[in-house]
Amino acid sequence: MNDYPIYLRDVPADQRTYGTLSYNRRSKCWTIRGEPCVTELAKRLFPGCDGRGRGVARFTAHRRIIGELNWLMLRYPLEIKESDRSRWESALEEAREYAVRRERALTMPETAAPPQESFSGTLLPFQQQGLGFMLSSRRCLLADEMGLGKTVQALAFLATTAAYPAALVVPPHLIRNWEREIERFLPGVRVHVVKGLKPYPLPEAEIVIIHYLLLRGWKEVLPELGFRTAIFDEAQELRHNGTGKYSAASLLSESCENVIGLSGTPIYNQGGEIWNVVNIIDFHFLGDWESFSREWCYGYNSAIVAKPELLGEHLRREGLMLRRLKSDVLTELAPKRRLVQEIDWDDAVYRELMKPVADQLRQLRATDDPSRRALIEDAICQQQRQATGVAKAPYVCAFVRALVDGGEKVLLMAHHHSVMDIYKRELKPLHPGFITGRETDKQKDAAVKSFMEGKTNLLCISLRSASGLNLQRASCVVFGELDWSPAVHSQAEDRAHRIGQQDSLLCYYLVSPRGSDRDMQDALGLKVSQFVSLMGDAPTPPEEDFLRQSEARERIRHLVARLQEEE
């Protein structure tokens, strides 16, 4: 006995037919040409069913739509063109398998592990469920809360399916991080990052990375390049239709067999924005805009969803969306996790701020006095640290905005006042509090109170002003700048990781590809794109602290020597 739903059973033969069913290979849709009673009913029943003119109705060739079309044919049998019969039987069998897997997943989620020969890493149990979900759905939205590893799950999907070439569409500030993650988890996979709006012949690569701002320039080209998979990171970037970016994403999606959206915040101000995101992933999954706004929202063209929890349940039940919160998988997470992530920076700003170093290097070459050399080396190091922090500050802000938009409560750590000034300007809409050493005690207390009482979800703190604060409401600590001392970082983390902290604290170390971060990473033992126990949480004994200071001095000399070589 078949275990698939009744609406997917075979249509009895030798019955009166009400029209014909045929497949259009160019538009990838099934077309009914039949009596008005059938086509009119089809257009009423199935939102998004296309078909201008009397007696014509067209359906997207999707396994979910195939099931609904078969259900219609149980009442109004159609004659399938002989040349399309085997295609229909294959499509119906796929729809049956999909329906069975979807029903099973509601009670017993599927899990999968990527092949070890093509994936360098290990998935947590809930991430294995995420992989199983993507393998089952193939066109879906992975909407896990930030910090649960959507990137690694998406790369595991590529490793498992080998569905290359793949187009990876990401925000500009995350390009470097994706490159590093691919290098780590998919060894040997070739990557090309698209440069510029003007199309050009792409080199051979399994993964092509393009950021959202370039999509419109490549609108006509991308669908012709034979991508099998499209992954849209931070898919909420597609929540507004009617733009060149949106149109290009739609054409790319239509040309791919696998489409994965990644977003911890798929819905922003208006629930109806989810229609735009879903429509990219699976065209007309929620019907056309008119029918969606009429039935799910407060009337035609309204974007306010009447029952958002019901819509979320529908997306999950139909296998389109999977969302887990940290609270759902807390037992699988360490109490404190550290992630080192490389972000972009402004090279022109860095070079401008580093101009004074040339004179300092000349002074260094002109003296043999050890004390004088140490002072100059310290000044050069300080200048480069500040230049590094300022050059990456706008990208740090973009990263933090995404965290706060996703509901995280963030402590943002930095060192230089000039960097903090950029944070204050760029993050002003988030109403952050500041503790930088420039505030009065009253202002400092007000900033802490505002954060702890939930009036703001962002508190910016100077790295060496963090002692004595108890900020266990925080769910994330972000280091926009680094310090030479591991103890300073551990102390900053401990502002949030205190008694009363019920969450798995995620600590992001945002590092730049150039500048002082490279030497400071080495000093701290930071490795890019790894969850690691970086510095240890036990107090540092005095003799080890002295050794650390000696190592820092040696690192500063190394930093200066490298600058002399680059000059």
Side-chain angles (χ1 to χ4, degrees), residues 9-17 70 73-75 77-78:
R9 69 188 183 188
D10 290 326
V11 176
D14 302 324
Q15 292 191 98
R16 179 187 186 281
T17 58
N70 193 76
M73 289 168 61
L74 289 171
R75 172 62 181 87
L78 299 169

Side-chain angles (χ1 to χ4, degrees), residues 223 232 238 245-255 279-280 283:
F232 295 96
L238 301 170
K245 172 176 67 176
Y246 189 89
S247 177
S250 180
L251 291 175
L252 172 61
S253 173
E254 184 182 333
S255 69
N279 218 41
I280 292 291
F283 183 67

Side-chain angles (χ1 to χ4, degrees), residues 114-294:
Q116 292 183 347
E117 61 271 15
S118 57
F119 185 80
S120 178
T122 303
L123 299 183
L124 294 171
F126 76 87
Q127 294 172 334
Q128 293 179 356
Q129 288 185 4
L131 175 57
F133 164 76
M134 289 185 285
L135 292 173
S136 174
S137 298
R138 298 296 176 128
R139 283 183 174 267
C140 57
L141 175 63
L142 183 61
D144 285 346
E145 194 174 18
M146 271 195 167
L148 296 188
K150 293 185 291 296
T151 298
V152 70
Q153 292 175 75
L155 294 180
F157 174 84
L158 289 177
T160 305
T161 61
Y164 300 119
L168 182 53
V169 187
V170 308
H173 68 280
L174 293 180
I175 288 177
R176 290 185 182 277
N177 183 62
W178 274 98
E179 286 185 281
R180 294 294 187 183
E181 296 291 81
I182 293 167
E183 182 181 350
R184 178 191 173 195
F185 289 107
L186 303 180
V189 169
R190 295 169 298 178
V191 178
H192 176 72
V193 178
V194 171
K195 307 292 185 185
L197 279 167
K198 186 177 180 180
Y200 56 86
L202 297 179
E204 288 190 10
E206 282 77 33
I207 298 177
V208 173
I209 301 178
I210 183 170
H211 68 68
Y212 283 101
L213 300 179
L214 299 183
L215 274 182
R216 58 187 175 87
W218 290 75
K219 175 180 175 180
E220 306 298 333
V221 176
L222 291 178
E224 304 299 322
L225 294 178
F227 290 111
R228 294 181 60 195
T229 302
I231 297 175
F232 295 96
D233 189 24
E234 301 297 342
Q236 71 274 7
E237 291 280 339
L238 301 170
R239 65 189 184 275
H240 300 303
N241 61 13
T243 64
K245 172 176 67 176
Y246 189 89
S247 177
S250 180
L251 291 175
L252 172 61
S253 173
E254 184 182 333
S255 69
C256 295
E257 60 191 80
N258 307 299
V259 180
I260 308 295
L262 307 176
S263 177
T265 54
I267 303 175
Y268 270 64
N269 298 323
Q270 298 179 316
E273 292 172 348
I274 191 67
W275 182 88
N276 290 324
V277 176
V278 169
N279 218 41
I280 292 291
I281 295 169
D282 197 342
F283 183 67
H284 278 179
F285 183 94
L286 292 172
D288 57 22
W289 173 250
E290 179 181 351
S291 59
F292 173 80
S293 60
R294 183 184 64 243

